[in-house]
PDB file of all heavy atoms in Angstrom:
ATOM      1  N   GLN V   3       8.476 -19.433  -1.610  1.00 68.00           N
ATOM      2  CA  GLN V   3       7.716 -18.394  -2.347  1.00 68.00           C
ATOM      3  C   GLN V   3       6.585 -17.917  -1.430  1.00 68.00           C
ATOM      4  O   GLN V   3       5.988 -18.725  -0.751  1.00 68.00           O
ATOM      5  CB  GLN V   3       7.102 -18.972  -3.607  1.00 68.00           C
ATOM      6  CG  GLN V   3       8.084 -19.597  -4.583  1.00 68.00           C
ATOM      7  CD  GLN V   3       8.772 -18.547  -5.418  1.00 68.00           C
ATOM      8  OE1 GLN V   3       8.304 -17.416  -5.523  1.00 68.00           O
ATOM      9  NE2 GLN V   3       9.918 -18.877  -5.971  1.00 68.00           N
ATOM     10  N   PHE V  28     -23.114 -13.757  -3.357  1.00 96.00           N
ATOM     11  CA  PHE V  28     -22.027 -13.368  -2.458  1.00 96.00           C
ATOM     12  C   PHE V  28     -21.684 -14.526  -1.507  1.00 96.00           C
ATOM     13  O   PHE V  28     -20.535 -14.760  -1.189  1.00 96.00           O
ATOM     14  CB  PHE V  28     -22.399 -12.129  -1.632  1.00 96.00           C
ATOM     15  CG  PHE V  28     -22.315 -10.842  -2.431  1.00 96.00           C
ATOM     16  CD1 PHE V  28     -22.326 -10.833  -3.803  1.00 96.00           C
ATOM     17  CD2 PHE V  28     -22.279  -9.604  -1.800  1.00 96.00           C
ATOM     18  CE1 PHE V  28     -22.258  -9.659  -4.553  1.00 96.00           C
ATOM     19  CE2 PHE V  28     -22.220  -8.430  -2.515  1.00 96.00           C
ATOM     20  CZ  PHE V  28     -22.209  -8.456  -3.893  1.00 96.00           C
ATOM     21  N   ALA V  29     -22.716 -15.235  -1.069  1.00 97.00           N
ATOM     22  CA  ALA V  29     -22.472 -16.390  -0.171  1.00 97.00           C
ATOM     23  C   ALA V  29     -21.639 -17.451  -0.888  1.00 97.00           C
ATOM     24  O   ALA V  29     -20.682 -17.977  -0.353  1.00 97.00           O
ATOM     25  CB  ALA V  29     -23.799 -16.977   0.307  1.00 97.00           C
ATOM     26  N   LEU V  31     -19.660 -17.012  -3.491  1.00 98.00           N
ATOM     27  CA  LEU V  31     -18.314 -16.473  -3.760  1.00 98.00           C
ATOM     28  C   LEU V  31     -17.470 -16.540  -2.468  1.00 98.00           C
ATOM     29  O   LEU V  31     -16.306 -16.901  -2.503  1.00 98.00           O
ATOM     30  CB  LEU V  31     -18.391 -15.064  -4.289  1.00 98.00           C
ATOM     31  CG  LEU V  31     -18.917 -14.955  -5.726  1.00 98.00           C
ATOM     32  CD1 LEU V  31     -19.284 -13.504  -6.056  1.00 98.00           C
ATOM     33  CD2 LEU V  31     -17.873 -15.457  -6.715  1.00 98.00           C
ATOM     34  N   TYR V  43     -18.493   0.755  -6.152  1.00 93.00           N
ATOM     35  CA  TYR V  43     -19.321   1.859  -5.698  1.00 93.00           C
ATOM     36  C   TYR V  43     -19.873   2.537  -6.938  1.00 93.00           C
ATOM     37  O   TYR V  43     -19.080   3.050  -7.743  1.00 93.00           O
ATOM     38  CB  TYR V  43     -18.418   2.821  -4.915  1.00 93.00           C
ATOM     39  CG  TYR V  43     -19.083   3.914  -4.146  1.00 93.00           C
ATOM     40  CD1 TYR V  43     -18.975   3.968  -2.742  1.00 93.00           C
ATOM     41  CD2 TYR V  43     -19.787   4.934  -4.770  1.00 93.00           C
ATOM     42  CE1 TYR V  43     -19.547   5.035  -2.029  1.00 93.00           C
ATOM     43  CE2 TYR V  43     -20.363   5.961  -4.061  1.00 93.00           C
ATOM     44  CZ  TYR V  43     -20.236   5.998  -2.686  1.00 93.00           C
ATOM     45  OH  TYR V  43     -20.795   7.023  -1.971  1.00 93.00           O
ATOM     46  N   ILE V  68     -15.764 -12.783   5.406  1.00 98.00           N
ATOM     47  CA  ILE V  68     -14.748 -12.435   4.410  1.00 98.00           C
ATOM     48  C   ILE V  68     -14.351 -10.969   4.591  1.00 98.00           C
ATOM     49  O   ILE V  68     -15.207 -10.113   4.797  1.00 98.00           O
ATOM     50  CB  ILE V  68     -15.337 -12.579   2.970  1.00 98.00           C
ATOM     51  CG1 ILE V  68     -15.572 -14.074   2.676  1.00 98.00           C
ATOM     52  CG2 ILE V  68     -14.434 -11.973   1.913  1.00 98.00           C
ATOM     53  CD1 ILE V  68     -14.332 -14.911   2.446  1.00 98.00           C
ATOM     54  N   HIS V  73     -14.991   0.078  -2.373  1.00 97.00           N
ATOM     55  CA  HIS V  73     -14.498   1.052  -3.356  1.00 97.00           C
ATOM     56  C   HIS V  73     -15.099   2.409  -2.974  1.00 97.00           C
ATOM     57  O   HIS V  73     -16.222   2.514  -2.484  1.00 97.00           O
ATOM     58  CB  HIS V  73     -14.977   0.707  -4.747  1.00 97.00           C
ATOM     59  CG  HIS V  73     -14.420  -0.584  -5.313  1.00 97.00           C
ATOM     60  ND1 HIS V  73     -14.212  -0.784  -6.660  1.00 97.00           N
ATOM     61  CD2 HIS V  73     -14.048  -1.731  -4.688  1.00 97.00           C
ATOM     62  CE1 HIS V  73     -13.714  -2.012  -6.838  1.00 97.00           C
ATOM     63  NE2 HIS V  73     -13.610  -2.591  -5.657  1.00 97.00           N
ATOM     64  N   LEU V  74     -14.328   3.455  -3.234  1.00 97.00           N
ATOM     65  CA  LEU V  74     -14.831   4.822  -2.951  1.00 97.00           C
ATOM     66  C   LEU V  74     -14.315   5.784  -4.003  1.00 97.00           C
ATOM     67  O   LEU V  74     -13.175   6.202  -3.923  1.00 97.00           O
ATOM     68  CB  LEU V  74     -14.435   5.258  -1.526  1.00 97.00           C
ATOM     69  CG  LEU V  74     -14.897   6.654  -1.116  1.00 97.00           C
ATOM     70  CD1 LEU V  74     -16.426   6.783  -1.151  1.00 97.00           C
ATOM     71  CD2 LEU V  74     -14.424   6.951   0.299  1.00 97.00           C
ATOM     72  N   THR V  80     -18.442  16.047  -2.333  1.00 95.00           N
ATOM     73  CA  THR V  80     -17.741  17.105  -1.570  1.00 95.00           C
ATOM     74  C   THR V  80     -16.950  16.426  -0.438  1.00 95.00           C
ATOM     75  O   THR V  80     -17.161  15.244  -0.138  1.00 95.00           O
ATOM     76  CB  THR V  80     -18.747  18.076  -0.931  1.00 95.00           C
ATOM     77  OG1 THR V  80     -19.557  17.323  -0.027  1.00 95.00           O
ATOM     78  CG2 THR V  80     -19.613  18.786  -1.979  1.00 95.00           C
ATOM     79  N   LEU V  88     -17.134   7.945   5.081  1.00 96.00           N
ATOM     80  CA  LEU V  88     -16.086   7.336   5.912  1.00 96.00           C
ATOM     81  C   LEU V  88     -16.641   6.969   7.300  1.00 96.00           C
ATOM     82  O   LEU V  88     -16.319   5.915   7.840  1.00 96.00           O
ATOM     83  CB  LEU V  88     -14.865   8.268   6.058  1.00 96.00           C
ATOM     84  CG  LEU V  88     -14.064   8.538   4.763  1.00 96.00           C
ATOM     85  CD1 LEU V  88     -12.944   9.497   5.055  1.00 96.00           C
ATOM     86  CD2 LEU V  88     -13.546   7.241   4.196  1.00 96.00           C
ATOM     87  N   ASP V  98     -10.983  -1.287   5.149  1.00 98.00           N
ATOM     88  CA  ASP V  98     -10.178  -1.315   3.910  1.00 98.00           C
ATOM     89  C   ASP V  98     -10.909  -0.605   2.787  1.00 98.00           C
ATOM     90  O   ASP V  98     -12.070  -0.971   2.497  1.00 98.00           O
ATOM     91  CB  ASP V  98      -9.864  -2.775   3.506  1.00 98.00           C
ATOM     92  CG  ASP V  98      -8.973  -3.461   4.546  1.00 98.00           C
ATOM     93  OD1 ASP V  98      -9.411  -3.647   5.678  1.00 98.00           O
ATOM     94  OD2 ASP V  98      -7.820  -3.787   4.195  1.00 98.00           O
ATOM     95  N   ILE V 123      -6.800   9.926  -1.125  1.00 98.00           N
ATOM     96  CA  ILE V 123      -5.921   9.144  -0.232  1.00 98.00           C
ATOM     97  C   ILE V 123      -5.419  10.042   0.886  1.00 98.00           C
ATOM     98  O   ILE V 123      -5.435   9.691   2.080  1.00 98.00           O
ATOM     99  CB  ILE V 123      -4.778   8.504  -1.048  1.00 98.00           C
ATOM    100  CG1 ILE V 123      -5.371   7.414  -1.958  1.00 98.00           C
ATOM    101  CG2 ILE V 123      -3.682   7.937  -0.149  1.00 98.00           C
ATOM    102  CD1 ILE V 123      -4.423   6.854  -3.017  1.00 98.00           C
ATOM    103  N   HIS V 143      -3.657   4.676 -18.082  1.00 96.00           N
ATOM    104  CA  HIS V 143      -5.027   5.219 -17.950  1.00 96.00           C
ATOM    105  C   HIS V 143      -5.352   6.023 -19.220  1.00 96.00           C
ATOM    106  O   HIS V 143      -4.550   6.808 -19.684  1.00 96.00           O
ATOM    107  CB  HIS V 143      -5.113   6.115 -16.687  1.00 96.00           C
ATOM    108  CG  HIS V 143      -6.492   6.624 -16.427  1.00 96.00           C
ATOM    109  ND1 HIS V 143      -6.959   7.810 -16.883  1.00 96.00           N
ATOM    110  CD2 HIS V 143      -7.520   6.026 -15.776  1.00 96.00           C
ATOM    111  CE1 HIS V 143      -8.208   7.977 -16.519  1.00 96.00           C
ATOM    112  NE2 HIS V 143      -8.604   6.888 -15.818  1.00 96.00           N
ATOM    113  N   ALA V 146      -4.436   9.715 -19.392  1.00 97.00           N
ATOM    114  CA  ALA V 146      -3.069  10.175 -19.022  1.00 97.00           C
ATOM    115  C   ALA V 146      -2.410  10.864 -20.200  1.00 97.00           C
ATOM    116  O   ALA V 146      -2.574  10.408 -21.351  1.00 97.00           O
ATOM    117  CB  ALA V 146      -2.248   8.981 -18.539  1.00 97.00           C
ATOM    118  N   GLU V 158       2.630   8.802  -6.733  1.00 98.00           N
ATOM    119  CA  GLU V 158       2.099   9.777  -5.802  1.00 98.00           C
ATOM    120  C   GLU V 158       1.051   9.125  -4.857  1.00 98.00           C
ATOM    121  O   GLU V 158       1.016   9.382  -3.672  1.00 98.00           O
ATOM    122  CB  GLU V 158       1.408  10.876  -6.587  1.00 98.00           C
ATOM    123  CG  GLU V 158       1.563  12.279  -6.044  1.00 98.00           C
ATOM    124  CD  GLU V 158       1.003  13.253  -7.059  1.00 98.00           C
ATOM    125  OE1 GLU V 158       1.512  13.332  -8.197  1.00 98.00           O
ATOM    126  OE2 GLU V 158       0.022  13.957  -6.688  1.00 98.00           O
ATOM    127  N   ASP V 161       2.989   7.049  -2.424  1.00 98.00           N
ATOM    128  CA  ASP V 161       3.693   7.922  -1.476  1.00 98.00           C
ATOM    129  C   ASP V 161       2.739   8.532  -0.471  1.00 98.00           C
ATOM    130  O   ASP V 161       3.079   8.771   0.678  1.00 98.00           O
ATOM    131  CB  ASP V 161       4.443   9.048  -2.215  1.00 98.00           C
ATOM    132  CG  ASP V 161       5.625   8.485  -3.009  1.00 98.00           C
ATOM    133  OD1 ASP V 161       6.031   7.361  -2.755  1.00 98.00           O
ATOM    134  OD2 ASP V 161       6.151   9.219  -3.894  1.00 98.00           O
ATOM    135  N   GLN V 170      -6.247  -2.573 -13.473  1.00 97.00           N
ATOM    136  CA  GLN V 170      -7.309  -2.657 -14.477  1.00 97.00           C
ATOM    137  C   GLN V 170      -7.171  -3.997 -15.176  1.00 97.00           C
ATOM    138  O   GLN V 170      -6.066  -4.582 -15.245  1.00 97.00           O
ATOM    139  CB  GLN V 170      -7.073  -1.497 -15.471  1.00 97.00           C
ATOM    140  CG  GLN V 170      -8.051  -1.417 -16.639  1.00 97.00           C
ATOM    141  CD  GLN V 170      -9.488  -1.224 -16.140  1.00 97.00           C
ATOM    142  OE1 GLN V 170     -10.085  -2.177 -15.665  1.00 97.00           O
ATOM    143  NE2 GLN V 170      -9.991  -0.021 -16.252  1.00 97.00           N
ATOM    144  N   ALA V 176       1.993  -9.814 -21.144  1.00 98.00           N
ATOM    145  CA  ALA V 176       3.238  -9.101 -21.403  1.00 98.00           C
ATOM    146  C   ALA V 176       3.099  -7.617 -20.984  1.00 98.00           C
ATOM    147  O   ALA V 176       4.057  -7.035 -20.470  1.00 98.00           O
ATOM    148  CB  ALA V 176       3.608  -9.208 -22.884  1.00 98.00           C
ATOM    149  N   VAL V 192       4.860  -1.610  -3.440  1.00 98.00           N
ATOM    150  CA  VAL V 192       3.751  -2.256  -2.729  1.00 98.00           C
ATOM    151  C   VAL V 192       3.213  -3.406  -3.618  1.00 98.00           C
ATOM    152  O   VAL V 192       3.469  -3.415  -4.800  1.00 98.00           O
ATOM    153  CB  VAL V 192       2.604  -1.251  -2.436  1.00 98.00           C
ATOM    154  CG1 VAL V 192       3.098  -0.115  -1.508  1.00 98.00           C
ATOM    155  CG2 VAL V 192       2.025  -0.684  -3.724  1.00 98.00           C
ATOM    156  N   ALA V 196      -2.988  -8.421 -10.055  1.00 98.00           N
ATOM    157  CA  ALA V 196      -3.339  -8.402 -11.488  1.00 98.00           C
ATOM    158  C   ALA V 196      -4.831  -8.583 -11.650  1.00 98.00           C
ATOM    159  O   ALA V 196      -5.395  -9.571 -11.148  1.00 98.00           O
ATOM    160  CB  ALA V 196      -2.595  -9.515 -12.205  1.00 98.00           C
ATOM    161  N   GLY V 197      -5.488  -7.668 -12.351  1.00 98.00           N
ATOM    162  CA  GLY V 197      -6.965  -7.757 -12.567  1.00 98.00           C
ATOM    163  C   GLY V 197      -7.293  -8.684 -13.737  1.00 98.00           C
ATOM    164  O   GLY V 197      -6.910  -8.436 -14.852  1.00 98.00           O
ATOM    165  N   VAL V 201     -13.887 -13.510 -19.651  1.00 92.00           N
ATOM    166  CA  VAL V 201     -14.894 -13.050 -20.578  1.00 92.00           C
ATOM    167  C   VAL V 201     -15.799 -14.224 -20.930  1.00 92.00           C
ATOM    168  O   VAL V 201     -15.335 -15.234 -21.468  1.00 92.00           O
ATOM    169  CB  VAL V 201     -14.227 -12.537 -21.855  1.00 92.00           C
ATOM    170  CG1 VAL V 201     -15.256 -12.231 -22.911  1.00 92.00           C
ATOM    171  CG2 VAL V 201     -13.487 -11.249 -21.510  1.00 92.00           C
ATOM    172  N   ILE V 207     -17.421  -8.476 -23.776  1.00 74.00           N
ATOM    173  CA  ILE V 207     -16.104  -8.076 -24.244  1.00 74.00           C
ATOM    174  C   ILE V 207     -16.181  -6.727 -24.984  1.00 74.00           C
ATOM    175  O   ILE V 207     -15.372  -5.842 -24.768  1.00 74.00           O
ATOM    176  CB  ILE V 207     -15.405  -9.157 -25.101  1.00 74.00           C
ATOM    177  CG1 ILE V 207     -14.005  -8.695 -25.528  1.00 74.00           C
ATOM    178  CG2 ILE V 207     -16.161  -9.576 -26.317  1.00 74.00           C
ATOM    179  CD1 ILE V 207     -13.072  -8.563 -24.402  1.00 74.00           C
ATOM    180  N   ALA V 216      -8.547  -2.127 -23.197  1.00 87.00           N
ATOM    181  CA  ALA V 216      -7.560  -3.196 -23.101  1.00 87.00           C
ATOM    182  C   ALA V 216      -7.214  -3.718 -24.492  1.00 87.00           C
ATOM    183  O   ALA V 216      -8.108  -3.879 -25.335  1.00 87.00           O
ATOM    184  CB  ALA V 216      -8.080  -4.341 -22.239  1.00 87.00           C
ATOM    185  N   ASN V 254       5.213 -16.413 -12.956  1.00 98.00           N
ATOM    186  CA  ASN V 254       6.088 -15.262 -13.051  1.00 98.00           C
ATOM    187  C   ASN V 254       6.073 -14.397 -11.758  1.00 98.00           C
ATOM    188  O   ASN V 254       6.402 -13.222 -11.803  1.00 98.00           O
ATOM    189  CB  ASN V 254       5.751 -14.397 -14.282  1.00 98.00           C
ATOM    190  CG  ASN V 254       6.288 -15.053 -15.532  1.00 98.00           C
ATOM    191  OD1 ASN V 254       7.467 -14.928 -15.843  1.00 98.00           O
ATOM    192  ND2 ASN V 254       5.450 -15.793 -16.243  1.00 98.00           N
ATOM    193  N   GLY V 258      -0.460 -10.961  -6.662  1.00 98.00           N
ATOM    194  CA  GLY V 258      -1.850 -11.334  -6.377  1.00 98.00           C
ATOM    195  C   GLY V 258      -2.687 -11.354  -7.654  1.00 98.00           C
ATOM    196  O   GLY V 258      -2.303 -10.802  -8.684  1.00 98.00           O
ATOM    197  N   TYR V 262     -12.272 -10.297 -11.490  1.00 97.00           N
ATOM    198  CA  TYR V 262     -13.546  -9.528 -11.698  1.00 97.00           C
ATOM    199  C   TYR V 262     -14.618 -10.583 -11.928  1.00 97.00           C
ATOM    200  O   TYR V 262     -14.760 -11.122 -13.018  1.00 97.00           O
ATOM    201  CB  TYR V 262     -13.392  -8.643 -12.923  1.00 97.00           C
ATOM    202  CG  TYR V 262     -12.411  -7.477 -12.716  1.00 97.00           C
ATOM    203  CD1 TYR V 262     -11.095  -7.549 -13.149  1.00 97.00           C
ATOM    204  CD2 TYR V 262     -12.805  -6.325 -12.036  1.00 97.00           C
ATOM    205  CE1 TYR V 262     -10.208  -6.510 -12.939  1.00 97.00           C
ATOM    206  CE2 TYR V 262     -11.922  -5.282 -11.819  1.00 97.00           C
ATOM    207  CZ  TYR V 262     -10.627  -5.357 -12.279  1.00 97.00           C
ATOM    208  OH  TYR V 262      -9.764  -4.318 -12.057  1.00 97.00           O
ATOM    209  N   ARG V 283      -3.188 -22.540  -2.434  1.00 94.00           N
ATOM    210  CA  ARG V 283      -4.324 -22.365  -1.511  1.00 94.00           C
ATOM    211  C   ARG V 283      -4.831 -23.678  -0.974  1.00 94.00           C
ATOM    212  O   ARG V 283      -4.788 -24.665  -1.618  1.00 94.00           O
ATOM    213  CB  ARG V 283      -5.473 -21.643  -2.246  1.00 94.00           C
ATOM    214  CG  ARG V 283      -5.016 -20.324  -2.847  1.00 94.00           C
ATOM    215  CD  ARG V 283      -6.137 -19.582  -3.444  1.00 94.00           C
ATOM    216  NE  ARG V 283      -7.160 -19.263  -2.445  1.00 94.00           N
ATOM    217  CZ  ARG V 283      -7.042 -18.264  -1.561  1.00 94.00           C
ATOM    218  NH1 ARG V 283      -5.977 -17.488  -1.570  1.00 94.00           N
ATOM    219  NH2 ARG V 283      -7.985 -18.028  -0.690  1.00 94.00           N
TER     220      ARG V 283
END
Side-chain angles (χ1 to χ4, degrees):
Q3 301 281 340
F28 284 18
L31 288 166
Y43 190 117
I68 292 287
H73 295 210
L74 180 58
T80 62
L88 293 178
D98 294 65
I123 291 169
H143 185 267
E158 218 172 299
D161 290 345
Q170 179 61 284
V192 297
V201 172
I207 181 66
N254 283 280
Y262 291 98
R283 305 185 61 78

